[in-house]
Amino acid sequence: MSGREFNSWQTVQTEVLRRINAREWKPGDFIPNEAELAVEFGCARATVNRALRSLAESGLLDRRRKAGTRVAVNPVRKATLSIPVIRHEIEGKGQSYRHTVLTQERAVPPAEIRARMRTEPGVQLMHLVTLHMADGKPYVFGNRWINPKAVPGVETADLSSQSANEWLVANVPFEGGDFSFSAMTAGTQEAEILACRQGDALVVIDRSTWNTTHVITSVRLTFAPGYRMHTEI
Amino acid sequence: MSGREFNSWQTVQTEVLRRINAREWKPGDFIPNEAELAVEFGCARATVNRALRSLAESGLLDRRRKAGTRVAVNPVRKATLSIPVIRHEIEGKGQSYRHTVLTQERAVPPAEIRARMRTEPGVQLMHLVTLHMADGKPYVFGNRWINPKAVPGVETADLSSQSANEWLVANVPFEGGDFSFSAMTAGTQEAEILACRQGDALVVIDRSTWNTTHVITSVRLTFAPGYRMHTEI
DNA sequence: CAGTGGTCTAGACCACAAG
DNA sequence: TTGTGGTCTAGACCACTGG
C-alpha cells in the first residue's frame, strides 16, 4: 500500500512513445485530447501538455488547436549539431591548440562575400586568414570577413592571442546565422597551408552570423583531411 | 482602463535575452532566482521557469539546483539539422526523383560494419546498394546494411518501389542514432556510379539508427559533387 | 542543512482554426 | 460557433547539491 501513484510528465511521455512504437497509435492517427489523457493517466492536464509538447518539438507529434494531436506521418528526424569553438574542439580531444594569423587587412571583398554580408560595393571589410593547429599540425584554415560597422572595437582587438572566433563569441552577441557543409578538392594553396596533398578531399564549412541590423561575419573553414563531424540523434 | 499587464513567458524570455545581449548580465554572471524574477516581472514563478528553461535548453543559460542560474560562459551554439528522406529533399527542389536498387543480397558484413551494428561474427545481414537520381542524374549513392533480426518483414518488403530509407522510416520506429559527416575523393567505383570524375571531392554521410535492443541499420551515403547541406542557427 | 530549480495541481481564460 | 491546444496562476512539495 502506499506506493504513491507516480505520474510525472516523463512517465506520460514514455507511455505515449510506447504506444507509438507499438503501433497502437499509427502515423496519421489522432490521439485522445489532453483532457482525456489527463483522466486516463490520473494527472493534471498541464502534465500531459508538457509531455506532448516535448514530443511535438522533437517532431514525433503534430499538434494543432481545435484539430487535435496526431502521430506525425513523416517523422523528420532532427539532429542537433553543436558548433564548438575550435580551440575547445581540439582541447576536448586532448590535443594542444595553437593558432596563427596568416594575414590581416582591410579590403574590399569579392562579390560573393559582398552578397553574403549585404554590404555596398566599395565598402571595406576586415579580412582575416588564420590557421588553427592541433598538436602542432594544421587542423583547419579560416578565411574570415568581418563587418567593422557591426563590431565596433574589432579593429583594435588583439586577434593573435585570442582567435577571431573566440573574440567574437565573447564580445558580439548575435541573433542568428546560417551554416553549410560541403566538400572540396585541395588545390595548391590548401595543400600548402594544410600540409596535405593536392587532390585530397577536404571538408568545408561556410558560416555567417548576424544580428538585427548587420551581417557580423562570414567565414569559410577548410579542414585538414580526415576531419569528421559527428552528432547523435 | 484596462490595459491588462501582459507578461507571457515569451515576454520574459525576450527581456532576459535583451539583458544578456546588452551585457547587463555578462557571461558567467548569476542572474536573480526564479522567485525574484517572478516578482520583478509580475508573473508566476512557473512562467519565469518556462522562459528560463527554454533558454537553458538552447544553451544560453546554465541552471543548477541550489547553485542558481548563470549566463553561459561559452555559448555553444547549436544548429538543428533536419534529416529529410532523400525523395523529399529532391522533390523539394522541384526535381524529379527516381531510385534504383543496384544490388540486394544477404551477406556477412565486413568487420567495420559488424562493429557498428554489434552483430556476431558470421551473422548475415541484408546488404543493399542503391542509387538515387534527381532529374535523371545521379544524386546520391547508398550502401546500406540492415539487421533482419531488428526488422521482421524486411526480407519480403518491396524495396524497389519504395526506397529502403522510406520503408524503414515508415515501418520501423527507432530510439536513437548517430550521424557523421566527412569528405572523400571519388575512386573508380564512385566515379562510375555517380557519373563524375575520379578525384572529385564528395560529401559522405554515415548514419546508424537503433532501438532499445538492436542496431537497425547502418548506411553510408555518398553524394555527387556539388552537394551542400545547409541549416540555420 | 537550506536554497534553488523541477515539477505537479486545479482551475481559469485565451487564441486559433475547423466545420 | 465551438473544441482543442496554449498559457497563466497560486500554491505546494520534491530533488538535488552547495556550503
Side-chain angles (χ1 to χ4, degrees):
Chain A
M1 328 228 228
S2 117
R4 128 163 169 53
E5 241 191 288
F6 202 80
N7 279 325
S8 63
W9 68 271
Q10 306 210 10
T11 308
V12 175
Q13 192 183 63
T14 302
E15 172 59 14
V16 170
L17 266 177
R18 191 196 62 74
R19 293 185 188 181
I20 293 173
N21 288 342
R23 315 225 131 219
E24 294 173 23
W25 292 338
K26 302 188 187 64
D29 284 359
F30 281 97
I31 75 175
N33 67 36
E34 294 189 346
E36 290 166 345
L37 289 175
V39 171
E40 181 192 336
F41 291 121
C43 65
R45 182 166 77 93
T47 304
V48 174
N49 180 282
R50 177 85 155 84
L52 298 189
R53 183 179 9 109
S54 162
L55 290 174
E57 278 166 5
S58 55
L60 255 75
L61 294 176
D62 277 337
R63 317 194 76 197
R64 275 152 63 194
R65 280 161 157 147
K66 167 73 180 175
T69 299
R70 58 165 70 191
V71 180
V73 180
N74 161 31
V76 175
R77 283 293 168 165
K78 292 176 183 167
T80 52
L81 187 57
S82 66
I83 307 170
V85 170
I86 291 167
R87 177 168 64 81
H88 297 161
E89 182 173 325
I90 290 174
E91 290 176 348
K93 300 189 217 181
Q95 299 181 297
S96 72
Y97 172 76
R98 191 157 61 83
H99 93 284
T100 319
V101 176
L102 301 182
T103 73
Q104 177 171 0
E105 56 171 356
R106 266 181 153 270
V108 174
E112 183 198 330
I113 298 294
R114 208 179 67 221
R116 296 180 60 163
M117 310 230 5
R118 301 173 190 284
T119 55
E120 297 300 317
V123 171
Q124 287 193 330
L125 301 177
M126 174 178 278
H127 182 211
L128 207 57
V129 179
T130 56
L131 179 63
H132 303 259
M133 285 167 285
D135 278 348
K137 289 183 297 190
Y139 184 82
V140 60
F141 157 67
N143 190 333
R144 181 185 292 274
W145 295 83
I146 302 173
N147 186 347
K149 286 231 173 66
V151 191
V154 69
E155 313 246 34
T156 58
D158 175 13
L159 299 179
S160 57
S161 60
Q162 189 180 32
S163 78
N165 182 12
E166 284 190 73
W167 189 88
L168 288 166
V169 165
N171 292 280
V172 187
F174 66 95
E175 309 287 330
D178 69 12
F179 188 92
S180 86
F181 213 104
S182 54
M184 73 171 285
T185 302
T188 46
Q189 190 196 23
E190 290 82 11
E192 185 182 347
I193 296 176
L194 293 173
C196 66
R197 281 192 294 272
Q198 279 189 48
D200 280 352
L202 308 176
V203 166
V204 175
I205 291 177
D206 289 289
R207 184 173 45 178
S208 299
T209 58
W210 52 75
N211 59 28
T212 45
T213 54
H214 293 87
V215 176
I216 299 165
T217 184
S218 179
V219 62
R220 163 165 289 202
L221 300 171
T222 306
F223 289 84
Y227 180 77
R228 176 175 290 267
M229 173 165 264
H230 183 271
T231 183
E232 300 225 335
I233 302 177
Chain B
M1 310 143 291
S2 114
R4 125 166 173 48
E5 239 190 291
F6 201 81
N7 278 325
S8 63
W9 68 270
Q10 306 210 11
T11 308
V12 175
Q13 192 183 62
T14 303
E15 172 59 14
V16 170
L17 265 177
R18 191 196 63 73
R19 293 185 189 182
I20 293 173
N21 287 341
R23 319 223 129 223
E24 293 173 22
W25 291 339
K26 303 188 185 65
D29 284 359
F30 281 98
I31 75 175
N33 67 34
E34 294 189 347
E36 290 166 344
L37 289 174
V39 171
E40 180 189 338
F41 291 121
C43 65
R45 182 165 78 92
T47 304
V48 174
N49 180 281
R50 177 85 156 85
L52 299 188
R53 179 171 22 100
S54 162
L55 289 173
E57 279 166 5
S58 56
L60 256 75
L61 294 177
D62 277 337
R63 318 195 74 195
R64 274 152 61 194
R65 281 161 158 149
K66 167 73 180 175
T69 299
R70 57 166 70 193
V71 180
V73 180
N74 160 32
V76 175
R77 281 292 168 165
K78 292 175 184 167
T80 51
L81 189 55
S82 66
I83 306 170
V85 171
I86 291 167
R87 178 168 64 82
H88 298 161
E89 182 173 325
I90 290 175
E91 291 176 348
K93 300 190 215 179
Q95 299 181 298
S96 72
Y97 172 75
R98 193 156 62 82
H99 92 285
T100 317
V101 176
L102 301 180
T103 72
Q104 176 169 2
E105 56 171 356
R106 266 180 154 271
V108 174
E112 183 198 331
I113 297 294
R114 209 179 67 221
R116 295 180 62 165
M117 310 231 4
R118 301 173 191 284
T119 55
E120 298 300 317
V123 172
Q124 288 193 329
L125 301 177
M126 175 179 277
H127 183 211
L128 206 58
V129 179
T130 55
L131 180 63
H132 302 258
M133 284 168 284
D135 279 348
K137 289 184 296 188
Y139 184 80
V140 61
F141 158 67
N143 190 334
R144 181 184 293 273
W145 294 83
I146 303 174
N147 187 346
K149 285 231 174 65
V151 192
V154 69
E155 314 247 33
T156 59
D158 174 14
L159 299 178
S160 57
S161 61
Q162 189 181 30
S163 78
N165 182 11
E166 285 189 71
W167 188 89
L168 289 166
V169 165
N171 292 280
V172 188
F174 66 95
E175 310 286 329
D178 69 14
F179 188 94
S180 87
F181 211 106
S182 56
M184 73 171 287
T185 303
T188 47
Q189 190 195 22
E190 290 82 11
E192 185 182 346
I193 296 176
L194 293 173
C196 66
R197 283 191 294 271
Q198 279 190 48
D200 281 352
L202 309 177
V203 165
V204 175
I205 290 177
D206 289 290
R207 181 171 27 155
S208 298
T209 59
W210 52 76
N211 60 27
T212 44
T213 54
H214 294 87
V215 176
I216 299 166
T217 184
S218 179
V219 62
R220 163 165 289 201
L221 300 171
T222 307
F223 290 83
Y227 179 78
R228 176 175 289 268
M229 174 167 262
H230 183 271
T231 184
E232 300 225 333
I233 303 176

